[in-house]
Amino acid sequence: MQDISLYIHIPFCASKCHYCDFSSFSGIEDRIPLYVNSLIAEIDLYRQKLENYNVKTIFIGGGTPSHIEAKYIYRILGHIYENYNAQNVKEITIEVNPGTVNKEKSRIYKELGINRVSMGAQSFNDSLLRKIGRIHNAKDIFSSYKILSQIGIENINLDLIFGLPEQTLNDVLKSTKMAVELGAHHISHYGLIIEEGTKFYEYHKNGRLYLPDEDLEREMYHRATEYLVGQGYKHYEISNYSLKGYECKHNIVYWDIEPYIGLGLSSHSFMEGRRFFNTSDFSSYIDLLKDNILPVDGEEIVDVNGELEDYCIFGLRKIDGIDKEKFYSRFGINIEELYGEALTKHIKGGLLVDCGQFIKLTKKGLDLSNLVEIDFIK
Ligand SMILES: C[S@@+](CC[C@H](N)C(=O)[O-])C[C@H]1O[C@@H](n2cnc3c(N)ncnc32)[C@H](O)[C@@H]1O
Ligand code: SF4
């Protein structure tokens, strides 16, 4: 039986952060029961399709899944266990926000088989947290982390963002240090992206956002990386670091271009040579599922060229890079034969390095990965 991963989207948040363009809403909590009913209907509609698949990992993301009552997560996961081959799921992650978990909620998560929690800390500096629209402070990160550990969640990720308005290098290093001192098993360290449609986009357009310059932003990234690696974390993807054995299995599915189904508003899927995505319109999502129609809003057939492109681009985001043997066994051709020109160009230019079994980005390549990626698009 082939493996498949599941992503489940929960699009509710207590309030909208100034930088975030994820599909999420605040102030529509009255629609949570309706949304969960739709998710259940969507799970049913995939039952036959997933009959011959074994669920490998589950990621409940958002939005803020911990913003809704645990009884809903219970219902969703319960329905998956009843209807899919999910007896041997290797990893179940839920995203939580600091201050939104208590002992009871965490205990239910654990009883449901959730064995990984990803918490959006973003920073440990209270004034920065306020500036980016977070409604928690550093103390909430500590207390939520403590509750989760005490209940026995043994794999906790903390998300941090660097390059925030008026953030200093010292701030960044302080936050990474705090995350390490808390004992995080995994740290995702993202560079701030100014996304259209966010408050920060408007501030930026009006010249009211004082962002660190590019050199400082890159220094933040490399200094934090040096620090985390020195503390025993493996830098295994451009933005991800983990203690040994705590790499995120679900995200590795995405980076290795393995199949996954996205359930919920605006979720994306990749299965049997097709990429497709759900509607991002809340009412359409609910209405279509009321009529037992899959809420798919678009699709793309992924031919061999498309798969090669994705495999190389995502492969190079992994710090180990592309495994030449795996490439050969998947595509039946040597990577050098297909991409000789691009490889030579970027090895000469110092952005790629050939380590024998692997081809990977150099330190300079990590900063300029987009220049490399372009040459892997056929
Ligand atoms: C699905 S989001 C949020 C999960 C959760 N609701 C939270 O806020 O903690 C996952 C992560 O993406 C990161 N993120 C979201 N928007 C970003 C942006 N514009 N730039 C960089 N990182 C971003 C944040 O670190 C966030 O924790
Ligand atoms: S960062 Fe998290 S809490 Fe903030 S708006 Fe986005 S999904 Fe919601």
Side-chain angles (χ1 to χ4, degrees), residues 122-123 128 131 161-172 175 210-212 216 220:
Q122 321 308 356
S123 167
L128 261 182
K131 212 176 279 172
I161 309 184
F162 64 93
L164 295 169
E166 292 169 68
Q167 193 179 29
T168 64
L169 175 61
N170 202 28
D171 269 328
V172 172
S175 283
Y210 304 102
L211 298 173
L216 177 56
M220 289 170 168

Side-chain angles (χ1 to χ4, degrees), residues 19 98 119-132 134 136-142 158-165 167-168 170-176 178-179 188-189:
Y19 53 84
M119 179 155 49
Q122 321 308 356
S123 167
F124 285 82
N125 176 326
D126 285 346
S127 110
L128 261 182
L129 285 171
R130 272 194 302 276
K131 212 176 279 172
I132 65 175
R134 299 294 283 181
H136 63 83
N137 55 28
K139 240 167 99 184
D140 296 321
I141 306 172
F142 293 121
L158 292 180
D159 285 340
L160 296 172
I161 309 184
F162 64 93
L164 295 169
Q167 193 179 29
T168 64
N170 202 28
D171 269 328
V172 172
L173 295 176
K174 256 192 186 162
S175 283
T176 36
M178 297 275 214
S188 296
H189 199 217

Side-chain angles (χ1 to χ4, degrees), residues 82-276:
E82 276 166 27
N83 289 283
Y84 296 169
N85 302 309
Q87 300 78 17
N88 297 307
V89 188
K90 295 198 169 61
E91 178 188 273
I92 307 181
T93 304
I94 191 162
E95 282 187 330
V96 309
N97 278 32
T100 62
V101 285
N102 54 28
K103 277 190 183 159
E104 181 58 7
K105 215 180 233 180
S106 312
R107 193 183 52 72
I108 297 173
Y109 289 168
K110 187 156 164 52
E111 275 174 16
L112 281 170
I114 291 173
N115 55 10
R116 183 172 186 272
V117 170
S118 177
M119 179 155 49
Q122 321 308 356
S123 167
F124 285 82
N125 176 326
D126 285 346
S127 110
L128 261 182
L129 285 171
R130 272 194 302 276
K131 212 176 279 172
I132 65 175
R134 299 294 283 181
I135 54 171
H136 63 83
N137 55 28
K139 240 167 99 184
D140 296 321
I141 306 172
F142 293 121
S143 56
S144 294
Y145 196 101
K146 196 168 161 199
I147 291 171
L148 292 162
S149 307
Q150 281 176 349
I151 232 77
I153 302 287
E154 289 166 352
N155 185 353
I156 303 179
N157 166 63
L158 292 180
D159 285 340
L160 296 172
I161 309 184
F162 64 93
L164 295 169
E166 292 169 68
Q167 193 179 29
T168 64
L169 175 61
N170 202 28
D171 269 328
V172 172
L173 295 176
K174 256 192 186 162
S175 283
T176 36
K177 189 162 185 271
M178 297 275 214
V180 171
E181 282 174 3
L182 256 183
H185 308 85
H186 188 286
I187 294 171
S188 296
H189 199 217
Y190 299 117
L192 176 70
I193 299 171
I194 303 299
E195 304 279 8
E196 215 173 326
T198 60
K199 269 199 182 156
F200 270 3
Y201 186 82
E202 289 309 308
Y203 296 168
H204 192 49
K205 217 172 60 184
N206 300 327
R208 290 201 291 128
L209 209 57
Y210 304 102
L211 298 173
D213 66 30
E214 208 180 312
D215 287 347
L216 177 56
E217 199 257 9
R218 286 295 85 200
E219 195 181 355
M220 289 170 168
Y221 174 69
H222 290 296
R223 289 283 298 278
T225 298
E226 275 165 30
Y227 170 71
L228 291 170
V229 170
Q231 294 297 311
Y233 287 79
K234 184 178 177 203
H235 185 200
Y236 73 105
E237 195 266 352
I238 288 190
S239 309
N240 288 286
Y241 309 77
S242 83
L243 295 177
K244 197 165 184 287
Y246 288 93
E247 294 87 352
C248 177
K249 294 183 177 69
H250 185 85
N251 282 341
I252 291 174
V253 165
Y254 297 150
W255 303 328
D256 284 347
I257 322 296
E258 300 292 345
Y260 56 88
I261 287 287
L263 302 162
L265 192 68
S266 68
S267 301
H268 287 241
S269 305
F270 171 59
M271 189 192 189
E272 296 165 2
R274 260 176 85 229
R275 283 197 185 279
F276 49 101

Side-chain angles (χ1 to χ4, degrees), residues 13 15-17 19-20 22 24 62-64 97 122 134:
C13 290
S15 71
K16 195 78 193 170
C17 305
Y19 53 84
C20 181
F22 280 81
S24 68
T64 309
N97 278 32
Q122 321 308 356
R134 299 294 283 181

Side-chain angles (χ1 to χ4, degrees), residues 253-308:
V253 165
Y254 297 150
W255 303 328
D256 284 347
I257 322 296
E258 300 292 345
Y260 56 88
I261 287 287
L263 302 162
L265 192 68
S266 68
S267 301
H268 287 241
S269 305
F270 171 59
M271 189 192 189
E272 296 165 2
R274 260 176 85 229
R275 283 197 185 279
F276 49 101
F277 57 88
N278 280 353
T279 175
S280 42
D281 182 83
F282 197 99
S283 301
S284 306
Y285 179 77
I286 304 283
D287 292 344
L288 286 165
L289 282 159
K290 248 187 214 150
D291 293 334
N292 283 318
I293 298 170
L294 278 178
V296 174
D297 198 29
E299 75 160 344
E300 181 198 347
I301 303 296
V302 184
D303 61 7
V304 183
N305 280 342
E307 196 173 324
L308 275 163

